Amino acid sequence: MIPIHYSAEVATARATGAPIVALESTIITHGMPFPQNVETARLVEADVREAGAVPATIAVIEGTLHVGLEPAELDSLGQAQNVAKLSRADIAACIATGSTGATTVAATMIAAHLAGIHVFATGGIGGVHRGAENSFDISADLQELAQTPVTVVAAGAKAILDLPKTFEVLETLGVPVIAYGQDQLPAFWSATSDMAAPLRMDTATDIASAQKMRTAMGLRGGQLVTNPIPQAAQIPADELQPIIDQALQEAQAQGISAKAVTPFLLGRIFELTEGRSLTANIALVRNNARLAAQIASAMVN
């Protein structure tokens, strides 16, 4: 028996068939300091509600999988120390041992599917790290997209990754990669890139219909919807690339690897951009939440 607890708001939505959008919790525990982490999480939840859906922030708290967090639980998680960062490999162990952990993209997809939630909004997915031909450092998010039927709305893959290799792997795994409203793939903090989008869709209804058709055809896995960051909040790729290169060189020099790489790089890029990367990150997550709510509504209707 899987110990799952639904927030009051999510329980009501499940009972009435209202649209629900899953949200991850690593952005709260590993993405930014308190109280900004909780303030941002509340803004994102409010964006989902204003766009017509119910937010379900997901986390494991003392061995129970929480689908939707009450305000006090969100506050507590935002201040918790030594919270595990959960993916497919360790979410079951965290629950079984009564521990607390925040969910990454992969773990949030698993939890959403268990709860019957079909749409998930995040900032950016993980992917193929630069130098992966030597380190084999590839995020479990990619395999999860290939096997778990959840539509994930993101601003692309995180810009610190090897983006061409990331999208090559997604193609190999048969994951539909859809650019929303443009012909180029966005690059997380940057609205555009030099990569052509495999698929383009301009409406939430088309995106919802595509996921339903995959299910009807017996095709495994979900979809990645790449939603460009609003132009006013973006950091152009040509300005950002030297900063990313510097952060990567520093990580390599300090021997930082595995799960520690992404938090280090994001923190260092925050410093080198004098906070602009965090401002952009908040803008793109909120933008993704709004689109995800529209897709969730289209799936219900």
Side-chain angles (χ1 to χ4, degrees):
M1 189 74 176
I2 304 167
I4 301 181
H5 178 269
Y6 298 99
S7 68
E9 186 180 18
V10 171
T12 299
R14 281 168 50 85
T16 60
I20 304 172
V21 173
L23 301 168
E24 65 164 278
S25 49
T26 51
I27 194 170
I28 300 168
T29 57
H30 295 75
M32 57 190 77
F34 180 83
Q36 190 173 27
N37 54 354
V38 172
E39 292 167 355
T40 300
R42 290 215 166 95
L43 282 173
V44 173
E45 289 189 344
D47 288 326
V48 171
R49 293 186 189 100
E50 288 170 14
V54 171
T57 300
I58 292 173
V60 176
I61 300 175
E62 296 180 352
T64 296
L65 179 60
H66 283 248
V67 180
L69 296 179
E70 306 294 356
E73 292 167 342
L74 186 56
D75 277 332
S76 178
L77 186 67
Q79 299 175 74
Q81 301 296 313
N82 302 315
V83 176
K85 187 178 180 182
L86 303 178
S87 191
R88 171 170 278 267
D90 43 18
I91 186 171
C94 183
I95 294 170
T97 57
S99 303
T100 294
T103 54
T104 60
V105 168
T108 305
M109 289 182 71
I110 291 166
H113 183 50
L114 286 171
I117 300 171
H118 307 295
V119 184
F120 161 40
T122 186
I125 65 162
V128 180
H129 281 263
R130 301 185 195 203
E133 62 272 20
N134 298 313
S135 68
F136 287 85
D137 191 352
I138 301 174
S139 171
D141 296 353
L142 305 186
Q143 285 282 359
E144 205 61 51
L145 278 158
Q147 61 186 318
T148 301
V150 174
T151 290
V152 178
V153 182
K158 293 184 176 71
I160 57 177
L161 302 169
D162 187 322
L163 297 183
K165 285 189 177 69
T166 295
F167 290 110
E168 280 291 340
V169 170
L170 286 170
E171 181 182 2
T172 299
L173 294 174
V175 176
V177 177
I178 302 162
Y180 180 65
Q182 63 183 39
D183 295 319
Q184 304 85 29
L185 290 169
F188 196 57
W189 292 303
S190 307
T192 60
S193 71
D194 58 3
M195 295 175 289
L199 295 165
R200 170 179 174 164
M201 293 185 186
D202 296 337
T203 69
T205 300
D206 283 349
I207 295 166
S209 296
Q211 182 67 64
K212 287 182 176 181
M213 186 57 69
R214 285 183 67 80
T215 302
M217 294 177 69
L219 296 173
R220 296 174 64 210
Q223 307 179 124
L224 175 62
V225 179
T226 61
N227 185 31
I229 182 174
Q231 289 281 345
Q234 77 159 334
I235 305 174
D238 56 355
E239 178 184 343
L240 197 57
Q241 194 55 57
I243 292 171
I244 293 174
D245 291 342
Q246 180 180 337
L248 285 162
Q249 290 167 8
E250 291 176 6
Q252 186 174 16
Q254 295 178 39
I256 295 167
S257 61
K259 283 187 176 182
V261 172
T262 297
F264 172 83
L265 292 175
L266 295 179
R268 192 70 185 103
I269 291 166
F270 169 79
E271 293 169 356
L272 293 170
T273 60
E274 298 180 339
R276 287 176 64 203
S277 64
L278 180 57
T279 301
N281 205 20
I282 293 169
L284 65 84
V285 171
R286 296 185 65 186
N287 191 47
N288 296 340
R290 291 187 285 267
L291 177 57
Q294 294 171 30
I295 297 168
S297 297
M299 285 191 176
V300 169
N301 298 328

